[in-house]
Amino acid sequence: MIKLIYKVFSVILFPILFVLIFFEFPNYLVKFNAYLGLPCWKNEVGKYIGAFFMGLGIITWLYCWIIFAVSGDGTLFPAAPPKRLVVKGIYRYSRN
């Protein structure tokens, strides 16, 4: 029952964290930058470079989430870790 609660919590938490990390936090940083009066790089090329790296980060995060759910039968949420060691994809080359 507890694991089910953690998985449900993880499913609810995932979209919230996704929006906060990839949309709200960068938006907050831009507004904070304007509040401080710091110079801003207003260049279309910079926007596209930033969007590329943001998209790369989103794809990597989603890929990691799917690998944990499918191959590890768990989540990225520490209270409901994967039941099996995940050694596929990006996790084949990383160590703890």
Side-chain angles (χ1 to χ4, degrees):
M1 181 66 181
I2 299 295
K3 291 288 186 182
L4 178 64
I5 292 171
Y6 286 140
K7 284 190 178 185
V8 169
F9 182 67
S10 177
V11 168
I12 293 170
L13 187 66
F14 176 74
I16 294 170
L17 284 177
F18 185 82
V19 169
L20 286 176
I21 291 172
F22 289 109
F23 295 102
E24 288 301 320
F25 185 67
N27 188 30
Y28 172 75
L29 290 178
V30 168
K31 288 180 180 179
F32 188 65
N33 186 29
Y35 173 75
L36 293 177
L38 298 173
C40 182
W41 186 28
K42 294 184 179 181
N43 188 345
E44 290 298 319
V45 176
K47 290 180 185 178
Y48 291 121
I49 291 171
F52 170 75
F53 283 112
M54 189 171 168
L56 191 63
I58 290 170
I59 290 169
T60 303
W61 194 38
L62 288 172
Y63 176 73
C64 293
W65 197 275
I66 291 169
I67 289 291
F68 263 65
V70 172
S71 126
D73 194 28
T75 66
L76 292 174
F77 188 56
K83 295 177 180 143
R84 292 182 297 279
L85 180 64
V86 179
V87 290
K88 291 183 178 181
I90 200 169
Y91 294 106
R92 177 178 289 162
Y93 306 106
S94 65
R95 297 173 48 167
N96 286 336

